[in-house]
Structure formats: C-alpha cells, structure tokens
Amino acid sequence: MHKVKAVVSLAKDQPVEVVTINVPNPIKGEALVKVLTCGVCQTDHHYVQGGVGNDYPYLLGHESAGIVEAVGEGVTNVAPGDLVILNWRAVCGECRACKKGKPQYCFATHNATQKMTLEDGTELSPALGIGSFAEKTLVAAGQCTKIDAELTDEQYAAIGLLGCGVTAGLGAVLNTGEVARGESVAVIGCGGVGTAAIAGAKLGGATTIIAVDIDDEKLARAKEHGATHVINSKNQDPVAAIKELTDGFGADLVIDAVGVEATFKQAFEARDLAGRVVLVGVPAPGTTWQAPLDEVFGRGGSIKSAWYGDTLPSRDFPMFVQHYQLGNLDLDGFVSERISLDQVNEAFETMKTGKVLRSVVEL
C-alpha cells in the first residue's frame, strides 16, 4: 500500500482538497504509475460540479504522463521503468466493436479492479478511471501507452496532454473527419480542443484552415497553431465568412468544438456539398438541434460525433509524439502554465477565463 498526496473532490461544488490517499499495489491486469504531469481539463471540473455523476469522493485528474512503478500478474504491454501516457480507452479486445476490428470504439474499456481510498477507507471514484492528480495512481495496464522516445523532463508536460484534450481535437480532424491534403477546414470554438483541431488540420495537410471564435486572444493563438484565417463571430456572420473564404462553397470539413445549438447549426450550414461536420464539443444534457430533412439529404456528406477523436492510443499516441519530436506538432504551445497539486483550485478559475490552453500539474 502506498500513501500519497492527491487532489480529491469530496462534495459537489466544493473546492477540491489535497489529501493523503491509499493506493494499492497492482494485482492481475493492473499497473502502478508514478505520475509526472497532469493537465487541468474541463472534464475534471465537470466532476466537481456534479456534471458526471454523484459518486463522491472523486479522485480527479486524467491527462497524464508517468513512469510505471510496478505491474500485476499477466501484464506484458508495459514494465517497470517505462514512460507512459495514460488513456481512458483501455481496449478490451472482446466487445462487439473490437470484434469488428474497430477497437477505437471499444464499448467495454478496462479500469483497475482495486479501489484507491481515503485514509479512513472510503473508496474513491477516479476521474475517467484514471485519477492522476496524485503522486501515484493505479490503473488497468491497458490504460498505459508506452512511449519509446528520448525526452527531457520539461517535455513530459506536453506529451501528457495527449491523454485527453489535445488528442480529442487532433483525432476529430485526422480520424473522425478524415481530413485530406489540400482540403479546407473550419473550426468553431478555439479553446484547447478546438486549437488542437486546428493543429490537426495543419498536420493533415489542409491548405485553408479557418478559426472561428468570439475572443480575439483565442483567435491569435489559433493562428500560432496553424490557422490561415480567423473570424470573430461577434463581428460577422461566420457562415457567410467561411463561404467567402472558400470560393462561396463552404468548407470540406467543419469542426464544432463548442457543442451548443447555435454553433452546430453554423457548422452544418458552413460546409460544402458532400462536406463533413464533426461534433467534438460536449453538449449539455438535453441540447437539441433542428434541421429540415431535405437539407440533410440535399447537402449530402456526413454528420458525426467524435468519441475521444476516434483515437486508438496504442496507434496514435506514439505517432503524435514522433510528430512532436520532428517539429510538426507544437505540443509545448499547449502548456500555458506549470503548477503544483495545491494550485488546482486556482487553475480551475483560470480555466474559466479562457486565457490558458492548459495548466499542467508537475509532480
């Protein structure tokens, strides 16, 4: 048993606390990971707000790089000493998606069997089955993606972000949207995920990359990550502006990284005939959207949602790290500030301002 410091949400809408927790040694199929870095993601704040469930206390954190410290019986994909990025899609290999050869959609992903607890024995619910705002965490071995790359300590914060938000944006364009070289891409909403989608469009060879937001600072940041054009939708109609930038036709691929009715309607209307719309922004429960079926039919193409960017961690994480090392993907640009465990509450408040892409806890 390991006693470590961790960030826990004890009750809905209450400030999170740094407390001591108990982390068991791994048994069959599990891995104990010494956490190096963990990004502060909007999803963690959803747990605090009760937006994910009511299984308090929650052990927060899920966007992480770490070093495997020990593994349980039968674990072969990682070994002690391995550098890993944690993921929340530990492929089962047995569900109907896996059997169809589509493990990126695995419907029965694994988590650790044992529970981490507070010192009094109260069981913790780890965020996305990971819980890595902690000095150490216990996960299913399949939640560890080994990274064979020569990296400096300073770079761990950047690659850890591939565990969630950055990959969600990259994957929405590269995997779900299947961007092709020379295409046009519009991204509505330029927070962390939207900016990653812009980076993905650049990586995928899009020649026209249009960033849409209501914040000029976010738009400036989008240009740093590959946007060729920016549109402030407070000042102009984004649909008309996107069409003007694409010879009047609309974009081949439009990403909605916001997830509200208005932005999804804009995404639908701003695509070219036979174009694609991908929803990666998470809608609030009950959000609806109406569209005439004749328009859905007449425009052709596809309307998709991106689950984790349709990412297969074992395939995609090493590839993204390689692009990072080659200078094709600026992961360092997503690390806005480096903080300690006891600064997570402040980081949640900073996140609300939209002034950062990611605050990253370094342990």
Side-chain angles (χ1 to χ4, degrees):
M1 186 70 70
H2 304 259
K3 290 187 177 294
V4 302
K5 297 296 183 183
V7 174
V8 172
S9 175
L10 295 169
K12 181 179 177 180
D13 284 331
Q14 297 302 307
V16 299
E17 297 183 27
V18 178
V19 300
T20 299
I21 67 168
N22 298 321
V23 181
N25 285 311
I27 59 173
K28 184 178 180 179
E30 295 177 341
L32 176 69
V33 177
K34 174 180 170 56
V35 179
L36 299 173
T37 67
C38 187
V40 180
C41 178
Q42 182 68 51
T43 301
D44 292 304
H45 198 243
H46 284 325
Y47 279 97
V48 176
Q49 295 174 310
V52 180
N54 196 41
D55 296 326
Y56 296 91
Y58 286 110
L59 172 57
L60 302 180
H62 61 279
E63 249 181 16
S64 291
I67 301 292
V68 175
E69 195 164 280
V71 298
E73 178 189 347
V75 173
T76 59
N77 65 306
V78 291
D82 285 346
L83 172 65
V84 295
I85 299 172
L86 300 183
N87 73 80
W88 42 273
R89 178 157 283 159
V91 172
C92 75
E94 299 173 353
C95 72
R96 60 194 187 280
C98 289
K99 287 180 177 178
K100 288 189 291 187
K102 297 183 177 180
Q104 68 270 27
Y105 298 133
C106 180
F107 301 144
T109 58
H110 293 155
N111 293 323
T113 303
Q114 300 180 92
K115 292 289 187 180
M116 294 176 277
T117 69
L118 296 176
E119 286 192 288
D120 65 4
T122 302
E123 292 186 348
L124 293 163
S125 301
L128 294 176
I130 294 176
S132 53
F133 279 145
E135 293 168 328
K136 297 180 184 180
T137 190
L138 184 74
V139 295
Q143 292 178 283
C144 299
T145 303
K146 182 180 177 180
I147 301 299
D148 287 315
E150 293 294 328
L151 297 166
T152 67
D153 293 354
E154 288 288 306
Q155 292 176 307
Y156 294 147
I159 68 163
L161 298 182
L162 290 171
C164 185
V166 171
T167 286
L170 292 171
V173 173
L174 297 169
N175 297 330
T176 317
E178 299 179 304
V179 68
R181 189 167 298 279
E183 285 194 314
S184 56
V185 177
V187 177
I188 301 174
C190 297
V193 173
T195 302
I198 288 163
K202 179 182 177 182
L203 189 62
T207 51
T208 300
I209 305 171
I210 305 164
V212 181
D213 204 283
I214 59 173
D215 186 320
D216 286 331
E217 286 189 36
K218 290 183 180 180
L219 292 171
R221 206 161 53 201
K223 290 194 76 170
E224 294 173 1
H225 285 270
T228 59
H229 303 81
V230 297
I231 298 167
N232 188 318
S233 53
K234 280 198 306 188
N235 304 327
Q236 55 184 320
D237 176 8
V239 175
I242 290 169
K243 288 187 174 181
E244 184 178 347
L245 291 168
T246 53
D247 299 322
F249 299 119
D252 297 304
L253 172 63
V254 185
I255 306 292
D256 177 6
V258 181
V260 298
E261 180 185 7
T263 55
F264 194 74
K265 184 173 185 290
Q266 291 166 356
F268 177 78
E269 294 176 348
R271 67 187 175 120
D272 196 359
L273 293 174
R276 292 98 67 203
V277 172
V278 173
L279 174 65
V280 66
V282 181
T287 301
T288 60
W289 168 66
Q290 291 185 332
L293 277 180
D294 60 332
E295 281 198 48
V296 175
F297 178 82
R299 286 179 178 270
S302 64
I303 301 171
K304 298 181 178 181
S305 60
W307 296 349
Y308 202 13
D310 293 349
T311 297
L312 184 61
S314 60
R315 175 195 66 196
D316 294 340
F317 286 3
M319 177 183 65
F320 292 151
V321 171
Q322 185 175 42
H323 278 299
Y324 168 53
Q325 290 184 294
L326 291 171
N328 301 329
L329 182 60
D330 179 19
L331 295 179
D332 292 317
F334 287 86
V335 181
S336 302
E337 62 175 359
R338 298 166 188 262
I339 63 173
S340 60
L341 276 179
D342 59 6
Q343 293 176 296
V344 170
N345 276 313
E346 291 87 343
F348 283 145
E349 294 303 313
T350 303
M351 182 176 61
K352 295 175 187 177
T353 69
K355 303 298 183 184
V356 298
L357 286 176
R358 275 296 187 269
S359 303
V360 180
V361 173
E362 293 186 313
L363 292 103

